[in-house]
Amino acid sequence: MRPDKLLEILSVCEKLKCNTRHCYTSSGRQESVAEHSWRMAVMAMLVGDEFPEADISKVIRMCLIHDLGEAFTGDIPTFEKTSSDTKVEETVLNDWISSFPEAERDEWTNLFEEMNSQKTVEAKIYKAIDKLEAVIQHNESDISTWLPLEYDLQYTYGKEQVKFSDYMLSLKEEIDRVTTDKIASNRD
């Protein structure tokens, strides 16, 4: 890849460091989209042994690029995002990817198609991790940053996406236990 094109792509990616998510970190500042994607990639590495049939390198790539549309649109919390918002994000992202050199354009297009179709084990792992990382981060944030609807959302978010795997189901159960303990300890 030509150095100028690499720098152009990285400049767009950098926006994910600046764009914040709804959630807060344990230190009390808003989490960036890039931080969410980075920790998803770490999670993929850590659960890799649980999925010997999967290409974990591909899952990591999915985790790293999955929210790049938000470099253009910013993050919209799941409970506020409309189908129109999703369409705009996908259109801008696809337009950007179409400007890539052919090899990268093909790879990223194929990854996004696989992620959206949710038919492969890699796509299912990525999607489960995406949901679970958000719930984990909420558990690590101060409960005073939670909106009232998030008390229930903590239990339902990602519930469908983990059903493909006994391991992911057990991980969700443990996360739910942490949520229950957090809520209970803050009612005292």
Side-chain angles (χ1 to χ4, degrees):
M1 179 181 300
R2 291 186 344 250
D4 63 324
K5 188 61 181 176
L6 173 68
L7 293 176
E8 180 184 313
I9 292 170
L10 288 176
S11 179
V12 171
C13 293
E14 190 270 344
K15 292 178 184 354
L16 294 187
K17 292 181 180 185
C18 304
N19 291 350
T20 56
R21 291 170 52 85
H22 164 71
C23 193
Y24 288 77
T25 66
S26 60
S27 69
R29 69 168 173 74
Q30 276 189 278
E31 173 191 35
S32 74
V33 177
E35 290 167 318
H36 164 66
S37 297
W38 168 79
R39 191 155 78 160
M40 284 178 58
V42 172
M43 285 178 67
M45 288 178 64
L46 292 171
V47 303
D49 288 348
E50 301 297 332
F51 300 96
E53 74 283 12
D55 178 351
I56 293 301
S57 174
K58 181 187 276 188
V59 176
I60 292 168
R61 291 192 309 276
M62 290 175 172
C63 292
L64 291 172
I65 70 169
H66 83 285
D67 272 343
L68 272 165
E70 295 178 11
F72 302 98
T73 64
D75 178 66
I76 301 170
T78 189
F79 47 84
E80 294 177 3
K81 196 170 202 172
T82 66
S83 59
S84 177
D85 294 327
T86 300
K87 179 86 170 143
V88 168
E89 185 177 309
E90 288 174 358
T91 299
V92 183
L93 177 66
N94 289 333
D95 288 347
W96 177 57
I97 292 171
S98 71
S99 74
F100 285 18
E102 184 177 0
E104 289 78 15
R105 180 181 63 237
D106 291 349
E107 178 186 12
W108 288 41
T109 299
N110 290 336
L111 283 171
F112 276 108
E113 286 174 1
E114 184 174 342
M115 291 157 63
N116 289 334
S117 72
Q118 283 295 291
K119 292 181 181 168
T120 65
V121 68
E122 289 85 3
K124 291 175 183 180
I125 294 168
Y126 132 74
K127 186 55 100 176
I129 288 173
D130 183 26
K131 303 297 185 183
L132 295 179
E133 195 286 328
V135 176
I136 292 166
Q137 187 60 55
H138 267 77
N139 279 342
E140 293 172 340
S141 67
D142 192 290
I143 203 162
S144 68
T145 65
W146 291 21
L147 298 174
L149 64 86
E150 290 175 308
Y151 286 80
D152 289 332
L153 188 60
Q154 280 294 100
Y155 295 106
T156 59
Y157 199 64
K159 190 174 181 178
E160 291 301 312
Q161 289 79 12
V162 300
K163 288 183 176 179
F164 77 99
S165 159
D166 289 342
Y167 178 79
M168 288 297 191
L169 282 165
S170 69
L171 178 56
K172 177 70 173 129
E173 287 174 8
E174 180 61 15
I175 294 166
D176 288 351
R177 186 195 61 73
V178 172
T179 299
T180 299
D181 290 350
K182 182 176 187 78
I183 292 169
S185 70
N186 282 282
R187 287 197 173 138
D188 299 335

